[in-house]
Amino acid sequence: MDILLEAKELTKRFGAFTAVDGISLSVRKGEVLGFLGPNGAGKSTTMKMLTGFLAPSSGSAVICGETVTTGNVKARARIGYLPEGAPLYGDMTTREFLAFIAASHDIPKADIPDVVESAAGAVHLHGVMEQRIETLSKGFKRRVGLAAAILHAPDVLILDEPTDGLDPNQKFEVRRLIEAMSLDRAIIISTHILEEVDALCHRAVIINKGRIVADGTPSELRARSKYRNAVTMLVPAANAERTASALKRVGGVLRIEAASEGDFMRLTVVPQGNADIAEAIGDIAAVSNWQVSQFSVDPGRLDDVFRQVTEGDGVSTASFTAEAQS
Ligand SMILES: Nc1ncnc2c1ncn2[C@@H]1O[C@H](COP(=O)(O)OP(=O)(O)OP(=O)(O)O)[C@@H](O)[C@H]1O
Ligand SMILES: [Mg+2]
């Protein structure tokens, strides 16, 4: 069975408040799952239960066939966990901390220096090995946490906002590292960066108020966007009103959004129910001589879907919005 991680109806209550409410999901070997949701949705709490740091109120997590409990050492040995925020033990140096983590995984003493070197190398820590962790910058603390998560070569990686606080070069490096590690592992990353989902994740789960509200590949999720098959074009500002009113009369058009760009106006023609309107618009543009540039068809937008499923309607702002006549 290549499912390495499974959550079954995981639930966490804090007093009367339910932070995580029946989350079920599975991640296969070779798969990177993006775990998304607004602040307070329950991502970190779910991850703490998956890693055995927090006991669920009900439900369970299974890693490589082992049920995770706070005391199941066998299950926890298979997991690499990057918690939110900075690593503990700020008064240790990077090297001391990584050696301490290696020892806690029962890595033989003679192997520890090599294991520490190789994990530190993977996230470029060599310049700060003898520096105390509490004196490191935010990004370097994040990298120390990542090195600690991967040094025992775990089968399952649970990374809570792994690129938070990293500079663009490091973000890129860490994504590459995650990609490379994913080949023979199951990985869950939580993130607020939607491009990261496109760049890295095979599948994404969006949660809101402790429940799963969407689950699919990035392109499946994008397909749920109101902007899928929307047509965007740049027209001279002077022609915009005239063009927009002609566009409103095209069959299948729901509304037109417009945003000013210097002497031009960017018009976004949103279809009814993702209808294919590009050809009809292209034909009219050609015969009407609209001086259209940058004509493109939208594949759908993850940010729009995220808003739709986490706060109801995701109508985007525009300098003017014209409703189509029905
Ligand atoms: N120990 C606790 N006691 C009481 N409430 C808690 C506790 N831990 C978390 N919560 C609450 O549970 C909810 C979910 O928190 P969690 O940290 O899992 O959210 P998150 O999705 O990780 O958010 P963020 O994107 O901000 O990291 C929040 O309302 C939080 O205040
Ligand atoms: Mg969190």
Side-chain angles (χ1 to χ4, degrees):
M1 197 59 169
D2 63 353
I3 289 178
L4 297 186
L5 179 157
E6 203 174 359
K8 298 175 183 171
E9 293 288 323
L10 272 180
T11 297
K12 185 68 194 179
R13 283 182 284 273
F14 297 109
F17 174 68
T18 305
V20 175
D21 195 1
I23 298 253
S24 296
L25 52 84
S26 56
V27 191
R28 292 172 184 280
K29 190 175 187 167
E31 197 173 40
V32 180
L33 178 76
F35 202 40
L36 314 175
N39 292 132
K43 302 177 296 295
S44 298
T45 306
T46 303
M47 289 176 139
K48 284 175 198 161
M49 292 191 281
L50 289 172
T51 50
F53 278 82
L54 190 66
S57 306
S58 63
S60 62
V62 179
I63 303 274
C64 306
E66 291 279 334
T67 299
V68 179
T69 60
T70 46
N72 186 341
V73 180
K74 242 165 128 184
R76 289 179 64 169
R78 313 289 293 269
I79 305 169
Y81 173 42
L82 173 71
E84 238 177 352
L88 300 170
Y89 309 114
D91 54 342
M92 287 185 184
T93 66
T94 302
R95 188 184 301 285
E96 284 165 353
F97 175 69
L98 294 179
F100 167 77
I101 297 292
S104 78
H105 287 298
D106 292 330
I107 290 170
K109 211 167 174 182
D111 298 341
I112 288 179
D114 283 350
V115 166
V116 166
E117 277 302 312
S118 123
V123 290
H124 305 288
L125 283 173
H126 286 314
V128 300
M129 292 304 278
E130 319 309 332
Q131 199 172 327
R132 285 209 334 276
I133 288 171
E134 64 189 5
T135 68
L136 296 175
S137 70
K138 185 176 167 190
F140 272 95
K141 284 182 183 149
R142 208 75 199 123
R143 293 192 224 172
V144 173
L146 263 172
I150 63 176
L151 59 70
H152 60 300
D155 298 301
V156 173
L157 279 174
I158 295 174
L159 308 176
D160 201 349
E161 300 191 37
T163 58
D164 182 40
L166 300 183
D167 67 46
N169 297 338
Q170 269 303 309
K171 275 198 170 86
F172 180 75
E173 282 289 321
V174 165
R175 283 175 198 158
R176 276 225 309 230
L177 177 70
I178 292 173
E179 218 167 20
M181 289 190 305
S182 73
L183 293 176
D184 49 2
R185 294 192 174 82
I187 302 181
I188 296 194
I189 64 165
S190 69
T191 180
H192 289 291
I193 306 168
L194 295 176
E195 303 89 79
E196 205 146 76
V197 176
D198 268 322
L200 201 57
C201 300
H202 304 104
R203 205 152 58 80
V205 164
I206 305 177
I207 67 167
N208 190 38
K209 296 178 182 154
R211 290 169 184 255
I212 293 179
V213 289
D215 180 354
T217 63
S219 63
E220 281 167 357
L221 292 179
R222 216 182 280 109
R224 295 172 56 169
S225 161
K226 283 192 285 299
Y227 289 95
R228 182 168 181 82
N229 287 337
V231 169
T232 300
M233 64 181 90
L234 212 54
V235 296
N239 299 353
E241 290 279 2
R242 185 163 54 88
T243 309
S245 58
L247 284 168
K248 275 186 275 175
R249 292 192 292 274
V250 174
V253 170
L254 177 66
R255 65 166 187 274
I256 322 288
E257 296 171 3
S260 182
E261 287 187 23
D263 292 339
F264 292 87
M265 192 70 96
R266 182 172 299 281
L267 298 178
T268 300
V269 191
V270 184
Q272 286 165 351
N274 304 124
D276 197 348
I277 52 173
E279 206 178 319
I281 292 174
D283 289 348
I284 295 174
V287 296
S288 316
N289 196 21
W290 280 343
Q291 300 168 51
V292 165
S293 55
Q294 299 182 13
F295 186 97
S296 67
V297 181
D298 203 317
R301 303 175 190 177
L302 278 178
D303 60 344
D304 173 50
V305 175
F306 184 90
R307 277 199 302 275
Q308 266 178 56
V309 298
T310 60
E311 59 175 31
D313 203 325
V315 178
S316 80
T317 51
S319 55
F320 73 80
T321 299
E323 287 299 324
Q325 295 151 342
S326 51

